[in-house]
DNA sequence: ATATTTTGTTAGATCATCCTAACATTATAG
DNA sequence: CTATAATGTTAGGATGATCTAACAAAATAT
């Protein structure tokens, strides 16, 4: 049995593990807002449960079992977000906090029903992929908007998971998933971009452009 | 802040407190499946928080604050059950267990949205009253089916909250809220009743009849 | 190559929730 | 009105999840 606290550690490990699949204690500690000694001792416990590979002073890695369990929590989180937006009419900026709690509900029937009512969606309201029941991801390789060139037209497909403030900022500018954006210019000085979409134009800071994931040639 | 465990104690206290409003440690312990010494120490904690009146060897009573907090948990529980049945298509026998977990979600926006989507229902799928946002109940005085006389026709309005086995038993016999039941006869021997409803007739044990709440002259 | 900084671990404590064993009080039955 | 049974409390301990202070190892800078 995996506790609520353990589920949050697994999820954070999964989300922080990049390509290399390695996470530092410091990073994980910051992500969770939990002090390092607490993280270390939890890592030892998760290692006993065969969910994490742990060796002193080495980076943390999830085992296959750990990855699967993490993916199942992420599945519950993202299905919840999708359900809250699609079936309950909440805004994409309001659902993450609620999902952070609902993801720990144990009843699989509850989430299976959400899945069914949603028509088995493969992406959540922020454009992230929803793992299947076996914890398998269908990950689409997006590009960051900030890595695109002047003149390109791209489709906004996902936002890097973030605060409700960021999502409200986007909503205020009518920036939402699916829109086509044309890169009009890039300020070499600070990396901010002038973007055209719909019938408008906005200057977006580099910080913003790093969090917008797009598909080229779409 | 009221913890998940505390919420469960408050809810159990509220549900066990009859007219007299008093609950024994033994009863509460049995209801929650938690040993008596644990209950005693939790009562001391809830007393410090002004949620319960506690004196050694005296029956337990909720304070007004305790009643309100309990009612708010019950509100979340019953709204959830209603939502699961009405908006998600689950059976009335499947929702209690899920609601037992969902009731601890802290987001009020989540439950307010359910309430709104349901059109501000006043009863849950088992016929129990849903408290309002201030924890106020509109309690309708039901009669137990077993207290009705031969020849009476009554409307089934609620079932005393119970196991999914009981609810499946009722469903298997097409017994659901709203049906009219006519008491054909009562077996003096064991109190079982022969009941006519729809176009059928069933003999229901006293145990069953004690759990069916009806309205007379409806 | 050493000194300093950053990162991670150990030791020891707290708090919440639960338990069992032993004891105390209250209620009930002869 | 005692003896017994039922009910409730105290004492002491376990586990899970967290913390701070002190120490150790690894990385970095001079
Ligand atoms: Mn989220
Ligand atoms: Mn969470
Ligand atoms: Mn219920
Ligand atoms: Mn509960």
């Amino acid at each position: 049995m995996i506790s609520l606290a353990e589920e949050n550690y697994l999820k954070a490990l999964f989300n922080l593990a990049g390509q290399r699949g390695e996470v530092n204690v410091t990073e994980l500690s910051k992500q969770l807002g939990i002090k390092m000694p607490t993280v270390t001792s939890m890592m030892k416990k998760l290692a006993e449960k065969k969910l994490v590979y742990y060796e002193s002073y080495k980076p943390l890695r999830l085992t296959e079992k750990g990855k699967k369990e993490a993916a199942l929590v992420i599945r519950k989180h993202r299905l919840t977000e999708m359900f809250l937006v699609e079936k309950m009419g909440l805004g994409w900026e309001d659902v993450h906090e609620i999902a952070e709690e609902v993801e720990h509900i144990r009843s699989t029937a509850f989430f299976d029903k959400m899945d069914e009512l949603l028509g088995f969606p493969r992406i959540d309201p922020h454009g992230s992929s929803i793992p299947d029941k076996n914890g398998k991801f269908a990950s689409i390789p997006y590009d960051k908007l900030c890595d695109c060139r002047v003149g390109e037209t791209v489709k906004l497909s996902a936002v890097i998971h973030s605060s409700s403030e960021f999502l409200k900022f986007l909503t205020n500018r009518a920036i939402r998933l699916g829109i086509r954006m044309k890169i009009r210019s890039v300020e070499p000085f600070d990396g901010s971009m002038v973007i055209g979409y719909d019938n408008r134009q906005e200057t977006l800071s580099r910080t913003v452009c790093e969090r917008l994931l797009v598909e080229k040639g779409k």
Side-chain angles (χ1 to χ4, degrees), chain A:
Chain A
M1 193 76 303
I2 298 176
S3 71
L4 185 152
E6 288 168 346
E7 284 191 340
N8 283 334
Y9 280 92
L10 291 174
K11 190 158 63 83
L13 277 166
F14 193 102
N15 286 329
L16 289 173
Q19 218 45 48
R20 263 201 353 293
E22 295 185 346
V23 183
N24 296 320
V25 175
T26 307
E27 280 176 87
L28 184 54
S29 166
K30 275 176 187 149
Q31 171 79 16
L32 290 166
I34 286 171
K35 294 290 185 295
M36 290 212 304
T38 307
V39 171
T40 297
S41 73
M42 182 58 97
M43 289 307 105
K44 289 176 176 174
K45 179 149 62 114
L46 292 179
E48 294 225 324
K49 293 190 173 189
K50 306 289 184 202
L51 293 162
V52 163
Y53 296 115
Y54 175 77
E55 289 178 90
S56 288
Y57 300 104
K58 298 265 176 70
L60 306 166
R61 279 178 311 119
L62 286 168
T63 63
E64 281 310 307
K65 190 180 165 205
K67 279 181 202 165
K68 180 177 176 181
E69 293 298 340
L72 292 177
V73 180
I74 291 168
R75 172 179 161 79
K76 292 189 285 176
H77 182 103
R78 294 183 180 171
L79 276 176
T80 301
E81 290 187 340
M82 199 64 179
F83 190 86
L84 291 171
V85 167
E86 294 297 318
K87 300 296 173 185
M88 295 186 71
L90 291 169
W92 73 341
E93 70 275 20
D94 297 324
V95 298
H96 178 74
E97 285 301 300
I98 300 175
E100 203 56 52
E101 297 189 72
V102 175
E103 69 189 359
H104 304 291
I105 302 285
R106 288 191 137 66
S107 164
T108 49
F110 182 49
F111 295 101
D112 287 348
K113 198 74 197 186
M114 277 187 194
D115 199 20
E116 179 196 324
L117 291 170
L118 288 167
F120 310 102
R122 288 173 314 283
I123 55 162
D124 83 3
H126 310 106
S128 303
S129 154
I130 299 175
D132 70 17
K133 282 188 177 187
N134 303 310
K136 294 285 170 227
F137 273 84
S139 77
I140 314 120
Y142 296 131
D143 297 291
K144 290 182 183 170
L145 180 59
C146 62
D147 296 336
C148 297
R149 294 181 312 280
V150 172
E152 273 191 295
T153 297
V154 297
K155 186 175 93 169
L156 180 60
S157 297
V159 295
I160 287 182
H161 218 298
S162 186
S163 63
S164 70
E165 283 67 44
F166 176 55
L167 297 173
K168 273 182 213 158
F169 167 93
L170 297 179
T171 302
N172 286 340
R173 286 158 184 75
I175 297 173
R176 60 209 182 278
L177 299 191
I179 59 174
R180 306 298 134 115
M181 306 177 119
K182 176 157 189 179
I183 296 129
R184 295 261 165 76
S185 66
V186 179
E187 189 59 56
F189 167 59
D190 65 354
S192 63
M193 295 174 126
V194 177
I195 302 291
Y197 59 98
D198 294 342
N199 289 315
R200 53 195 290 173
Q201 181 169 311
E202 290 282 351
T203 303
L204 302 176
S205 71
R206 183 164 178 97
T207 311
V208 168
C209 296
E210 279 171 352
R211 293 167 185 278
L212 298 180
L213 300 182
V214 301
E215 287 173 279
K216 295 188 181 184
K218 283 228 172 177

PDB file of all heavy atoms in Angstrom, chain A residues 77 81 96 99 126 161, ligand 1:
ATOM      1  N   HIS A  77      -4.370  12.304 -11.464  1.00  0.00           N
ATOM      2  CA  HIS A  77      -4.300  13.766 -11.417  1.00  0.00           C
ATOM      3  C   HIS A  77      -4.845  14.373 -12.716  1.00  0.00           C
ATOM      4  O   HIS A  77      -5.693  15.260 -12.693  1.00  0.00           O
ATOM      5  CB  HIS A  77      -2.844  14.187 -11.197  1.00  0.00           C
ATOM      6  CG  HIS A  77      -2.640  15.672 -11.092  1.00  0.00           C
ATOM      7  ND1 HIS A  77      -2.441  16.301  -9.897  1.00  0.00           N
ATOM      8  CD2 HIS A  77      -2.601  16.646 -12.043  1.00  0.00           C
ATOM      9  CE1 HIS A  77      -2.296  17.605 -10.111  1.00  0.00           C
ATOM     10  NE2 HIS A  77      -2.378  17.833 -11.416  1.00  0.00           N
ATOM     11  N   GLU A  81      -8.193  16.629 -13.606  1.00  0.00           N
ATOM     12  CA  GLU A  81      -8.165  17.974 -14.191  1.00  0.00           C
ATOM     13  C   GLU A  81      -9.053  18.051 -15.418  1.00  0.00           C
ATOM     14  O   GLU A  81      -9.807  19.007 -15.608  1.00  0.00           O
ATOM     15  CB  GLU A  81      -6.733  18.358 -14.570  1.00  0.00           C
ATOM     16  CG  GLU A  81      -5.845  18.597 -13.354  1.00  0.00           C
ATOM     17  CD  GLU A  81      -4.479  19.148 -13.717  1.00  0.00           C
ATOM     18  OE1 GLU A  81      -4.065  19.002 -14.894  1.00  0.00           O
ATOM     19  OE2 GLU A  81      -3.826  19.706 -12.818  1.00  0.00           O
ATOM     20  N   HIS A  96      -5.685  22.479 -10.901  1.00  0.00           N
ATOM     21  CA  HIS A  96      -4.502  21.773 -10.407  1.00  0.00           C
ATOM     22  C   HIS A  96      -4.555  21.543  -8.900  1.00  0.00           C
ATOM     23  O   HIS A  96      -4.281  20.434  -8.412  1.00  0.00           O
ATOM     24  CB  HIS A  96      -3.226  22.534 -10.780  1.00  0.00           C
ATOM     25  CG  HIS A  96      -1.980  21.886 -10.274  1.00  0.00           C
ATOM     26  ND1 HIS A  96      -1.462  20.745 -10.841  1.00  0.00           N
ATOM     27  CD2 HIS A  96      -1.180  22.183  -9.223  1.00  0.00           C
ATOM     28  CE1 HIS A  96      -0.372  20.387 -10.160  1.00  0.00           C
ATOM     29  NE2 HIS A  96      -0.194  21.238  -9.174  1.00  0.00           N
ATOM     30  N   ALA A  99      -7.012  18.828  -8.078  1.00  0.00           N
ATOM     31  CA  ALA A  99      -6.504  17.524  -8.521  1.00  0.00           C
ATOM     32  C   ALA A  99      -5.399  17.011  -7.605  1.00  0.00           C
ATOM     33  O   ALA A  99      -5.244  15.803  -7.412  1.00  0.00           O
ATOM     34  CB  ALA A  99      -6.005  17.610  -9.964  1.00  0.00           C
ATOM     35  N   HIS A 126      -3.978  21.000 -19.828  1.00  0.00           N
ATOM     36  CA  HIS A 126      -2.763  21.793 -20.031  1.00  0.00           C
ATOM     37  C   HIS A 126      -1.899  21.204 -21.140  1.00  0.00           C
ATOM     38  O   HIS A 126      -0.770  21.626 -21.339  1.00  0.00           O
ATOM     39  CB  HIS A 126      -1.970  21.875 -18.718  1.00  0.00           C
ATOM     40  CG  HIS A 126      -2.814  22.302 -17.558  1.00  0.00           C
ATOM     41  ND1 HIS A 126      -3.216  21.435 -16.583  1.00  0.00           N
ATOM     42  CD2 HIS A 126      -3.377  23.489 -17.259  1.00  0.00           C
ATOM     43  CE1 HIS A 126      -3.985  22.082 -15.716  1.00  0.00           C
ATOM     44  NE2 HIS A 126      -4.103  23.326 -16.101  1.00  0.00           N
ATOM     45  N   HIS A 161       3.484  22.854 -16.819  1.00  0.00           N
ATOM     46  CA  HIS A 161       2.630  22.863 -15.655  1.00  0.00           C
ATOM     47  C   HIS A 161       3.024  23.918 -14.665  1.00  0.00           C
ATOM     48  O   HIS A 161       4.141  23.964 -14.228  1.00  0.00           O
ATOM     49  CB  HIS A 161       2.698  21.514 -14.977  1.00  0.00           C
ATOM     50  CG  HIS A 161       1.360  21.206 -14.503  1.00  0.00           C
ATOM     51  ND1 HIS A 161       0.746  21.981 -13.582  1.00  0.00           N
ATOM     52  CD2 HIS A 161       0.491  20.256 -14.880  1.00  0.00           C
ATOM     53  CE1 HIS A 161      -0.454  21.502 -13.396  1.00  0.00           C
ATOM     54  NE2 HIS A 161      -0.638  20.453 -14.177  1.00  0.00           N
TER      55      HIS A 161
HETATM   56 MN1  LIG E   1      -1.871  19.582 -12.497  1.00  0.00          MN
END
